[in-house]
Amino acid sequence: MHPTWPSADAWQQALRTLITDPAELLELLGLPSTLADAGADGEFRLQVPRSFAARMEPGNRQDPLLLQVLPQQQERVSVAGFGADPLAERVSNPRQGLIHKYRDRVLLIASGGCAINCRYCFRRHFPYQQNQLGPEQWQQVLDYIQTHTELREAILSGGDPLVTPDSRLSRMIEQLATIDHLQRIRIHSRLPIVIPERVTHALVTALAATRLQPVIVLHCNHANEVNDEVRAAIARLRSAGITVLNQAVLLRGINDSVAAQQQLSETLFSSGVLPYYLFVLDPVAGAAHFDVPDAEAQQLVGELQARLPGYLVPRLAREIPGQPSKTLLMPRRPR
Ligand SMILES: *Cc1c(COP(=O)(O)O)cnc(C)c1O
Ligand code: SF4
């Protein structure tokens, strides 16, 4: 099967026409404009690609895609334990744009921007402006990786690293590939989900051509996010031999049921994606209303495990500052 490719700049066009006005989004969905709390978003504005909004169900104020992006009044409620830097990233930042917390992997902040603003995101408070990778910083990052011979994998993260143009990404990948001890290149991105045209011929070619083994970790939280365009985008990645995984965040009112998680895993797998992580929420200020208690999360994944093959059950995990890896939460067997 030969994939058909989107035009090289369709995704940039989509980025230029994001919906940023809550009233416009609600009107498109036939919902009252009073549902949004315009004052709740502060610096972190509503931002949604049109193709993602088109997957929301008109008239449904509980739509699981809408709830991920709509600024709401609960965000103003301050809750103990939910702060501005839940992952203490600011302290493990040895070079600008680089986070080296786990022994053989290094995370690079390839871009501070995103195509979508997810309300539960820790990025809403992170000082990304001070963490952009300019040419000088990029050279320092390469030098750091070169001298740390324990590193096997470079992870392009952000923000969303795929906001970066293909020409620049290709160069970054080529330069990383010259570092002998690196074996893998990983990209963490929500873009192939929210703007599937982002999976361009140039991107796939760059990942197919490098000697580094390519892995893409998508971020999809609900089966409704996967439509035909997303399936086609994933097929384009897979046609080049790229391993495609997914990480999701467990979100109250959005995907906190066994049925929603089962449907997510099955839909992803039928599209060529394996579930990887299901994260419990980072305790970020403004997102407490999305929180699902650990015991409930463990119960939910226990039930999922009783229904699905092992390879369709994501690892339930959280990030705890100072730990050498993600921390797994064990599923609880249903009685
Ligand atoms: C999550 C994360 C990784 C990747 O962890 P995996 O368990 O390999 O997916 C690497 N570095 C940092 C700083 C991270 O936060
Ligand atoms: S795409 Fe990822 S990094 Fe960007 S706002 Fe959403 S959760 Fe945050």
Side-chain angles (χ1 to χ4, degrees), residues 44 114 116-118 120-121 123 159-160 190 219:
F44 195 65
C114 271
I116 186 166
N117 280 344
C118 311
Y120 51 85
C121 183
R123 191 178 70 96
D160 198 310
R190 190 147 162 67
H219 173 181

Side-chain angles (χ1 to χ4, degrees), residues 87 89 92 98-108 122 153 155 157 186 188 217 245 247 276-277 279 315 319 324-326:
L87 305 182
E89 306 255 71
S92 50
L98 179 146
I99 302 175
H100 187 189
K101 286 204 283 204
Y102 305 160
R103 182 179 157 80
D104 77 336
R105 291 147 287 174
V106 70
L107 196 136
L108 311 180
F122 66 89
E153 180 167 334
I155 304 174
S157 182
R186 190 195 316 183
H188 275 225
V217 181
L245 307 173
Q247 62 181 37
Y276 180 34
Y277 279 127
F279 286 112
R315 299 160 179 81
E319 198 170 334
S325 71
K326 302 285 189 264

Side-chain angles (χ1 to χ4, degrees), residues 47-96:
Q47 187 173 291
V48 202
R50 284 174 195 275
S51 72
F52 190 80
R55 291 170 239 166
M56 297 173 185
E57 185 195 347
N60 181 4
R61 57 180 70 201
Q62 299 299 329
D63 182 90
L65 279 55
L66 175 65
L67 293 181
Q68 291 181 58
V69 299
L70 190 69
Q72 300 201 70
Q73 211 169 5
Q74 296 108 299
E75 295 183 27
R76 297 183 194 232
V77 180
S78 110
V79 175
F82 286 74
D85 185 19
L87 305 182
E89 306 255 71
R90 287 170 218 198
V91 299
S92 50
N93 228 193
R95 296 287 179 285
Q96 200 170 329

Side-chain angles (χ1 to χ4, degrees), residues 5-17 165-166 195-202:
W5 297 97
S7 72
D9 65 348
W11 67 275
Q12 280 160 320
Q13 185 59 33
L15 279 182
R16 282 192 288 270
T17 55
D166 284 329
I195 304 180
E197 299 95 321
R198 178 63 189 92
V199 182
T200 57
H201 188 257

Side-chain angles (χ1 to χ4, degrees), residues 6 16 41 47 59 71 85 91 116 130-131 177 183 197 210 212 215 232 243 254 260-261 333:
R16 282 192 288 270
D41 53 352
Q47 187 173 291
D85 185 19
V91 299
I116 186 166
Q130 304 152 35
N131 252 300
Q183 296 172 354
E197 299 95 321
T210 176
L212 301 170
V215 180
T243 297
I254 292 172
Q261 287 297 329
R333 289 246 155 71

